[in-house]
Amino acid sequence: MGALVVGLLLAGVAAPAAAAGRTFSGRVFSITTNQGLAAMRVEIVAVNADGSFGTVLLSATTADDPVDPGRFVLDLPAEKPAGRAAMRVVDPAGRYMPSYDNWGRTYPAPYELLGGGVWDALYSTYGPWQETSFAMLAAGRYVPVVPRRVVDTRVNGHGPMQRNEWYKFPMPALPGEPVAFVLNVTATRTQCAADYIAVGMNIVGYETGAESSIVNARAGADVANLTTIRVGTRYEDPADWVQLYNHACPTDVVVDLQGYYDSGSPSGAGYVPVTPERVLDSRTDGGPLDAGEARRVDLAELATDMPADAVAVAVNLTATRTTAATSYLSAYPTGFTAARSTSVLNARRGQDVANLAVVPLAEDGSIEIYNDAGRTDVVVDVQGWYTESGGVSFYPLDHRRLTTGDGLLGAGKERLVGAPGRGIEIPADAQALAVNLTSTAGTAPTSYVTAYPAGASRPFASNLNTRQGIDLANSAVVGLGPGGHVLYNDAGSVRLLEDVQGYFAPGPLD
């Protein structure tokens, strides 16, 4: 095979001898540069009954050829093996995410696991495949930006997203090699009682919908949530883009860019997770924010362990005791008043509304929170820090449900969330997860949910405010402890759904 290293990894599993001429070949390339990638390992791996991965059955390493890097040829057994298997590409050096196809999926598509999985395709009357590509996405470090609006379907000519519509839109040109975008997504003018917005990349849509969600929308309410979405493949479109999916009925969407993860330079910021800490509660300190008021929050003074070189902060913001029918909050580095035209949270009279925000810090370590209408109290809980030196990289995943939510979580009860299964591969050295939490079937008029690292004492902080009769969602960056992380419900009982968006772990850029 020349420069190719082709091996059969037995691991106690006997495989038939390869048949002359029966091969699988293709190319592995980078999503952000479209360049071929050498030294990537192409694997056929057994799939267990629960969807997790088992023994690696066959493998090949991509060629280090200066003319055409990333090529591979995999010799196949003479007879179709029994069992179910998937094909993936992994990076032994740990910079790139596993990939399962030319879209760079980080999990196999459901249809790829039917029957015998990849064996059925390779040994079909049309196979084996030839010249198949795999796209890979690298880990990145965070680059904060002053919030900017990138989409508003109310005014950009697109109009409301329709039922079962995918909406693909370009992102602004940004320095480096963006691999994921931190976006605040708001659903507004929703025309039905219940709808949801999901990532529209690498999902199954149509009538069955997506298995994960970002925003749970409803008529009469502006609902916002922060999310992290990986970049789309560039072989389809040379510009950076993302895509949203709307499930049930017409609804407008507003998207504000908060920052991005860059794989092209180590100069980005690494993430430092902490046990959540409450740094401000205006109900007991300073009083509510008036209409048009911006309040400075001195995190350098209020937070217990703010790193000296922190450039941004992940905070959970909660608006409570709001007097206006509707208002919105903005969060930005102190002094950058232009960011008041963007929003991180939509407040409503009579409701406690929470949202995660990743906010750049001013030079003095402070941020400002702006309230648009009426009066509202604000609660601020620090989730973690982004630092110039140290910290860890972000590995973006296609959104996928982490826990099924089977069974209600009772009042004052905790649930340990450990190994995710379902093909979600979180390495042992991961330090935090980016997740979306959704509450449904709540029995208490109001409650709150706290997510925190396993092994730590439960902090006086919250990540999600629940309400009876309404599905509510909020993102969180949850530190991991021994055995995973913990979800706590304060009152009544509630079913909690959790969608993983990526993880933070040491990477080559750290």
Side-chain angles (χ1 to χ4, degrees):
M1 287 294 183
L4 292 178
V5 180
V6 179
L8 176 63
L9 304 185
L10 297 178
V13 177
R22 183 175 285 275
T23 60
F24 175 85
S25 64
R27 180 174 179 265
V28 177
F29 66 96
S30 164
I31 286 179
T32 56
T33 67
N34 273 338
Q35 300 300 309
L37 297 174
M40 300 294 115
R41 192 169 65 240
V42 182
E43 299 177 340
I44 295 180
V45 58
V47 179
N48 299 322
D50 65 354
S52 62
F53 299 116
T55 305
V56 176
L57 304 174
L58 295 168
S59 72
T61 299
T62 58
D64 185 10
D65 183 338
V67 177
D68 189 15
R71 304 291 304 179
F72 69 90
V73 177
L74 186 65
D75 289 330
L76 298 174
E79 301 295 331
K80 176 184 172 182
R84 186 169 54 148
M87 181 168 285
R88 67 184 179 189
V89 183
V90 298
D91 177 11
R95 181 182 180 190
Y96 290 88
M97 304 291 299
S99 171
Y100 289 85
D101 58 21
N102 60 338
W103 293 93
R105 294 180 194 266
T106 54
Y107 321 106
Y111 58 81
E112 293 174 346
L113 296 182
L114 297 175
V118 72
W119 293 135
D120 290 347
L122 291 173
Y123 290 83
S124 70
T125 56
Y126 302 102
W129 307 327
Q130 290 294 317
E131 300 303 320
T132 297
S133 296
F134 291 85
M136 300 189 79
L137 194 63
R141 289 172 66 87
Y142 188 67
V143 180
V145 301
V146 176
R148 70 180 81 170
R149 182 145 293 172
V150 294
V151 164
D152 187 340
T153 61
R154 299 170 299 181
V155 298
N156 69 356
H158 180 278
M161 290 184 67
Q162 300 300 307
R163 173 184 172 89
N164 288 328
E165 179 185 347
W166 285 266
Y167 178 29
K168 176 181 173 181
F169 53 89
M171 297 301 297
L174 298 166
E177 297 175 15
V179 294
F181 304 101
V182 179
L183 305 171
N184 196 68
V185 179
T186 302
T188 183
R189 299 178 179 177
T190 303
Q191 298 180 28
C192 58
D195 189 12
Y196 66 81
I197 304 294
V199 174
M201 300 145 67
N202 298 348
I203 67 163
V204 178
Y206 305 103
E207 297 298 325
T208 59
E211 71 156 22
S212 64
S213 60
I214 300 170
V215 178
N216 291 83
R218 61 189 185 275
D222 298 335
V223 185
N225 198 10
L226 191 78
T227 188
T228 302
I229 303 178
R230 48 155 286 188
V231 67
T233 50
R234 281 188 172 174
Y235 78 87
E236 178 183 1
D237 192 323
D240 291 332
W241 59 275
V242 297
Q243 187 166 259
L244 298 179
Y245 166 77
N246 176 48
H247 182 61
C249 66
T251 186
D252 280 296
V253 293
V254 180
V255 181
D256 296 327
L257 175 67
Q258 306 286 314
Y260 65 99
Y261 291 94
D262 175 23
S263 68
S265 170
S267 61
Y271 186 68
V272 179
V274 299
T275 300
E277 177 187 12
R278 183 150 295 175
V279 294
L280 175 67
D281 187 339
S282 69
R283 295 171 297 184
T284 59
D285 183 10
L289 277 70
D290 291 323
E293 178 184 350
R295 182 163 301 176
R296 180 175 176 272
V297 182
D298 188 353
L299 294 173
E301 178 181 341
L302 296 171
T304 302
D305 295 311
M306 175 178 167
D309 62 345
V311 296
V313 61
V315 292
N316 194 71
L317 300 174
T318 304
T320 184
R321 298 179 179 177
T322 303
T323 63
T326 62
S327 181
Y328 70 84
L329 301 183
S330 304
Y332 49 86
T334 299
F336 285 85
T337 57
R340 296 177 186 176
S341 62
T342 65
S343 62
V344 295
L345 185 152
N346 293 85
R348 292 180 290 279
R349 181 190 299 139
Q351 299 181 26
D352 298 336
V353 182
N355 200 13
L356 181 69
V358 179
V359 188
L361 298 172
E363 290 294 331
D364 62 359
S366 67
I367 63 174
E368 277 185 354
I369 299 173
Y370 168 81
N371 173 48
D372 183 63
R375 306 180 77 196
T376 189
D377 278 299
V378 177
V379 180
V380 181
D381 297 326
V382 171
Q383 309 285 305
W385 306 94
Y386 291 87
T387 61
E388 290 182 334
S389 61
V392 293
S393 294
F394 180 68
Y395 288 77
L397 296 171
D398 292 318
H399 293 198
R400 195 168 207 187
R401 189 132 292 167
L402 186 65
T403 54
T404 63
D406 292 339
L408 298 174
L409 187 60
K413 300 297 183 180
E414 297 179 343
R415 175 184 297 158
L416 176 65
V417 182
R422 300 191 67 241
I424 302 173
E425 300 173 285
I426 307 298
D429 60 352
Q431 298 183 15
L433 293 179
V435 299
N436 188 64
L437 295 170
T438 301
S439 65
T440 185
T443 62
T446 62
S447 181
Y448 68 85
V449 174
T450 302
Y452 61 97
S457 299
R458 178 165 56 87
F460 181 64
S462 63
N463 296 93
L464 176 66
N465 294 84
T466 72
R467 289 186 64 208
Q468 188 175 28
I470 297 178
D471 296 343
L472 294 174
N474 193 27
S475 290
V477 181
V478 188
L480 297 175
H485 65 283
V486 176
L487 300 178
Y488 165 83
N489 173 49
D490 185 64
S493 59
V494 67
R495 178 171 289 113
L496 296 176
L497 310 176
E498 194 169 4
D499 301 329
V500 65
Q501 302 172 359
Y503 61 85
F504 293 88
L509 295 178
D510 301 332

